[in-house]
Amino acid sequence: MPTTEDNMLGSLLTALTAAAERSRSAGRTTSERIRRFETEQLTLHVLAATVVFLIVLPVLIAALVSTKRAGIVTSIGDLVPGGHALSNYRRALIGLEFWRFMLNSFVMSVAVVVGKLIVSLLAALVIVYYRFPYKNAVFLFILFTLLLPVPVRFVPLYRLTTELGMGNTFFAITVPYLASATTVFILRQHFLSIPASLVETAKVDGVGPLRFLWSVLIPMSRAVLVGVSVIMFVYTWNQYLWPLVIINAESLQVAQVGLNLLRGQASTGEVAWSMVMTGSILTLLPPLALLVLFRRQLLETFTIQQK
Amino acid sequence: MSTETGRESRRSGALVSVMRWMENLSDTQYAYLLLIPVFVLLGVVALYPLLRTFELSLFAISADFSSTNFVGAGNYVELFTGGKNRYLPGGTTFLPEGFGLGALLNSALVVTIIFAVTSVLFETLIGLGQALILDQDFYGRRWIRAAIIIPWAVPVVIQGIIFFLMFNSNVGFLTPPLADLGLLAPTNTLNDTASATFIIIVADIWKTSAFMALLILAGLQSIDRGLYDVAKVAGATKWQQFKLITFPLILPTIGVAVLFRSVQAMRVYGIIDTVSSCTVVPSLSCMVVATFTTREGTSAAIAFVTAAIIGIVVMGLIAWQGEDAI
């Protein structure tokens, strides 16, 4: 009888918890408990602050160096901000045409996010709410692509794109990214937590799947949709290898490749290392801004991958 | 509902007839109709390339693409017997040519496995530590959680540049102290295979630990707090609580996180290319990229071996954790 057993376990747990509560409050005076609580809080804050500091340190160093003239850091003492912030950022954006790289990256990322969202929403909707033959096979097939390493697709995809004459176009840096197993996976996990009875009711009421998606699922999943969009945007914005090989025209190139060009110039001494850091911080700003703006939705989405 | 249908029927043209056609489909037909976009895309950008890669790996293709000869498993045989090493960049090899440290670190297969195992291990341990801190209740923890995902948002090129500058032997301020400890080569640090591999692993741990922490944190927060109260009554120490309650309950979560990360780590490329170079730190993906313009058949064979290794890792982890993991 599992139910009785559960009940017994439940009441045992409550009794023990109550006992624990009693023994804890009996053992110490209030001031003692507050003091203990305060030390614990202090330790936690110190630990957390150390972790955060170590994590953010490299980015802070980059931001510091981007305000200097030469950008050579040979000792800890060199890590003070310089006075060239404005001129560095102006030169990167206008003189080195970073505005164009960033615009290209931005358009590419938005296009990929919108396309991916539509395709993945349809797939997740079907996988969660419809019973049809080979359903599990379909889901496994989608998941399988998650495991395909990029280089495996690289060689044929390069051939295909160039043979179609799409080598140097906007098309080449968006369409290959539209299919995403990760997004389908996250959306599926989230939809699973929405009761199936909803879709039954909708079916009885004669509401079609697309209408159901639009007026029930999407409003119910706003946070996750925002979170997943941020993940997709950051992922696309950070793409480097594929745009590098498939795009030849510098006017079409994306920020990551532009940044690596700048890095190459710095290695040969054409520009100062501080300019590279300026470019890095510029390239880092959009993902960072999204992270700060949508941190709540993003954290919620990250935890979904688990369920 | 009736006004809705009334309005629909007054509309005319192609859209309405398509809508009407769709309404008359059975559930199964409708389901497959909605799956068409994802099928087409996955077919074109994933399944077709995979099959094509396999096909290409069966041919010897000359550098100028003028001759293509079917060699069957020839590329694979040569790859595993060392015959392909001459096409790999900078004297690197596919399998190690000996058991000394130098020979091991010269092999793309060994370096990829060392990288994957070490970085995933440390990321899991550090991520677990961070998650245990973040699981505590303290003021400002939501902001700290947001702060620790910053490295995840940092593009690999920037990550590369930052670590390059920190560890470059001419200008990097971190090289001298670490070289004094004997961890890094004092000069030409990023061209020294052992040092560069070490730095790349550190860079990867920096970028991904927090991501692991968030995944593990989700598992920690789903644990019933009552269990700890029971444990306290029973007089369990903090360590016993961790060993007997926390760890077993988050093990499945850790399994999934390790699975996702291992798949990613096995295909490492970007951080190697930006911090050091593929000739110094050879990885399997590096070899694919380095050979694909000159030796397409070889490149395809390496790519397919990489995919197979990843497949084995995934199946191993799923077998360990059971299918519930996914």
Side-chain angles (χ1 to χ4, degrees):
Chain A
M1 291 295 278
T3 41
T4 352
E5 234 175 77
D6 279 352
N7 279 340
M8 275 170 61
L9 207 69
S11 48
L12 183 71
L13 212 68
T14 337
L16 280 170
T17 319
E21 207 63 54
R22 269 199 307 279
S23 69
R24 222 178 352 189
S25 41
R28 276 177 237 122
T29 64
T30 321
S31 63
E32 216 179 318
R33 267 162 60 205
I34 290 176
R35 210 175 311 131
R36 205 184 138 93
F37 177 75
E38 275 174 349
T39 5
E40 256 176 35
Q41 285 278 307
L42 191 69
T43 328
L44 280 172
H45 273 107
V46 170
L47 266 175
T50 319
V51 168
V52 169
F53 178 73
L54 280 177
I55 284 171
V56 183
L57 184 66
V59 178
L60 279 181
I61 293 175
L64 277 178
V65 174
S66 79
T67 62
K68 296 167 86 82
R69 202 148 90 109
I72 302 290
V73 179
T74 43
S75 68
I76 313 277
D78 283 342
L79 289 176
V80 285
H84 291 77
L86 207 63
S87 61
N88 275 355
Y89 281 90
R90 187 181 299 143
R91 182 161 167 229
L93 273 174
I94 298 157
L96 296 164
E97 299 210 313
F98 245 73
W99 66 270
R100 197 204 297 275
F101 296 138
M102 289 184 70
L103 186 68
N104 288 338
S105 275
F106 189 79
V107 175
M108 169 194 175
S109 306
V110 170
V112 169
V113 167
V114 172
K116 239 181 186 177
L117 209 52
I118 294 172
V119 173
S120 311
L121 268 174
L122 290 180
L125 168 78
V126 169
I127 289 171
V128 175
Y129 291 104
Y130 285 85
R131 255 167 268 132
F132 58 93
Y134 309 115
K135 180 168 155 164
N136 285 335
V138 166
F139 181 61
L140 281 179
F141 171 70
I142 294 174
L143 208 59
F144 166 74
T145 61
L146 230 183
L147 310 173
L148 280 181
V150 181
V152 175
R153 300 185 252 166
F154 197 81
V155 180
L157 215 51
Y158 181 82
R159 272 198 165 192
L160 187 69
T161 323
T162 44
E163 276 163 19
L164 287 173
M166 297 289 187
N168 220 349
T169 60
F170 185 66
F171 181 87
I173 48 171
T174 47
V175 176
Y177 291 115
L178 290 186
S180 154
T182 327
T183 315
V184 175
F185 185 69
I186 295 177
L187 289 178
R188 171 191 175 260
Q189 299 302 90
H190 175 67
F191 286 173
L192 282 177
S193 67
I194 293 175
S197 60
L198 265 181
V199 78
E200 298 306 327
T201 322
K203 272 185 196 162
V204 172
D205 286 346
V207 175
L210 289 180
R211 185 112 181 262
F212 179 70
L213 179 70
W214 183 254
S215 22
V216 182
L217 281 185
I218 293 182
M220 283 184 78
S221 332
R222 261 193 213 123
V224 171
L225 291 178
V226 170
V228 107
S229 301
V230 174
I231 293 180
M232 291 188 290
F233 187 96
V234 172
Y235 174 80
T236 318
W237 179 270
N238 292 355
Q239 286 304 310
Y240 163 69
L241 181 59
W242 180 247
L244 174 72
V245 296
I246 203 74
I247 299 286
N248 296 318
E250 205 166 287
S251 63
L252 267 174
Q253 204 46 277
V254 298
Q256 307 298 335
V257 179
L259 187 57
N260 218 31
L261 287 177
L262 197 58
R263 188 191 119 116
Q265 289 175 330
S267 306
T268 57
E270 281 170 68
V271 296
W273 277 107
S274 60
M275 280 313 290
V276 183
M277 286 304 164
T278 311
S280 302
I281 295 294
L282 280 174
T283 316
L284 188 56
L285 277 181
L288 217 53
L290 288 175
L291 185 77
V292 171
L293 281 176
F294 300 113
R295 61 190 181 280
R296 194 178 57 79
Q297 289 92 335
L298 197 60
L299 289 172
E300 198 173 309
T301 311
F302 268 130
T303 55
I304 273 183
Q305 289 193 328
Q306 287 317 296
K307 286 181 204 154
Chain B
M1 211 62 229
S2 61
T3 51
E4 197 72 39
T5 10
R7 207 168 65 220
E8 294 272 331
S9 62
R10 275 203 298 281
R11 279 197 222 144
S12 59
L15 184 69
V16 170
S17 53
V18 168
M19 291 300 251
R20 201 156 293 149
W21 172 75
M22 279 170 69
E23 271 170 24
N24 290 328
L25 291 173
S26 72
D27 262 14
T28 307
Q29 287 169 320
Y30 211 113
Y32 277 107
L33 182 74
L34 294 182
L35 281 173
I36 286 176
V38 80
F39 273 160
V40 170
L41 279 168
L42 287 179
V44 173
V45 303
L47 194 63
Y48 162 79
L50 179 72
L51 297 176
R52 188 94 172 97
T53 300
F54 182 65
E55 192 199 343
L56 285 173
S57 74
L58 303 177
F59 289 88
I61 302 160
S62 64
D64 56 358
F65 300 101
S66 58
S67 76
T68 305
N69 296 317
F70 183 78
V71 291
N75 283 331
Y76 292 97
V77 172
E78 268 195 77
L79 198 57
F80 281 98
T81 51
K84 290 290 183 198
N85 289 344
R86 62 201 151 106
Y87 300 128
L88 302 182
T92 52
T93 61
F94 179 71
L95 288 178
E97 282 181 329
F99 291 99
L101 189 64
L104 286 176
L105 286 178
N106 205 23
S107 146
L109 188 65
V110 176
V111 167
T112 309
I113 291 172
I114 290 179
F115 172 83
V117 171
T118 329
S119 60
V120 174
L121 178 70
F122 280 98
E123 281 155 22
T124 312
L125 291 177
I126 295 173
L128 180 62
Q130 291 178 346
L132 288 172
I133 296 176
L134 286 179
D135 192 39
Q136 310 294 318
D137 223 351
F138 60 89
Y139 180 74
R141 101 187 150 152
R142 287 165 59 109
W143 278 99
I144 288 176
R145 268 192 226 167
I148 68 167
I149 32 177
I150 288 177
W152 163 81
V154 172
V156 72
V157 179
I158 299 178
Q159 181 198 11
I161 292 172
I162 293 173
F163 276 85
F164 175 82
L165 282 183
M166 288 199 303
F167 288 101
N168 184 313
S169 52
N170 297 322
V171 297
F173 64 97
L174 278 178
T175 304
L178 287 173
D180 288 344
L181 291 174
L183 286 171
L184 296 176
T187 54
N188 236 348
T189 317
L190 293 170
N191 288 321
D192 173 71
T193 302
S195 306
T197 309
F198 175 81
I199 291 164
I200 283 163
I201 290 174
V202 170
D204 194 69
I205 292 173
W206 172 74
K207 189 169 161 68
T208 330
S209 292
F211 186 82
M212 280 298 237
L214 287 178
L215 293 181
I216 297 172
L217 184 63
L220 282 176
Q221 297 200 318
S222 64
I223 298 177
D224 182 359
R225 301 283 143 159
L227 289 172
Y228 293 104
D229 290 327
V230 175
K232 274 179 209 155
V233 172
T237 61
K238 286 263 180 202
W239 166 245
Q240 284 170 329
Q241 288 177 30
F242 176 79
K243 196 177 73 175
L244 298 170
I245 301 175
T246 315
F247 189 67
L249 286 176
I250 54 166
L251 199 58
T253 312
I254 293 182
V256 178
V258 167
L259 176 81
F260 275 93
R261 271 302 303 150
S262 308
V263 170
Q264 269 175 11
M266 290 297 293
R267 50 193 191 201
V268 56
Y269 168 77
I271 185 64
I272 294 179
D273 190 44
T274 49
V275 172
S276 177
S277 87
C278 281
T279 53
V280 179
V281 183
S283 80
L284 291 172
S285 292
C286 265
M287 300 299 112
V288 174
V289 177
T291 52
F292 100 104
T293 46
T294 50
R295 287 279 144 186
E296 230 181 6
T298 309
S299 181
I302 303 173
F304 209 79
V305 170
T306 314
I309 296 174
I310 291 175
I312 293 168
V313 171
V314 170
M315 281 190 279
L317 283 169
I318 289 180
W320 171 51
Q321 276 299 312
E323 260 183 71
D324 318 332
I326 293 179

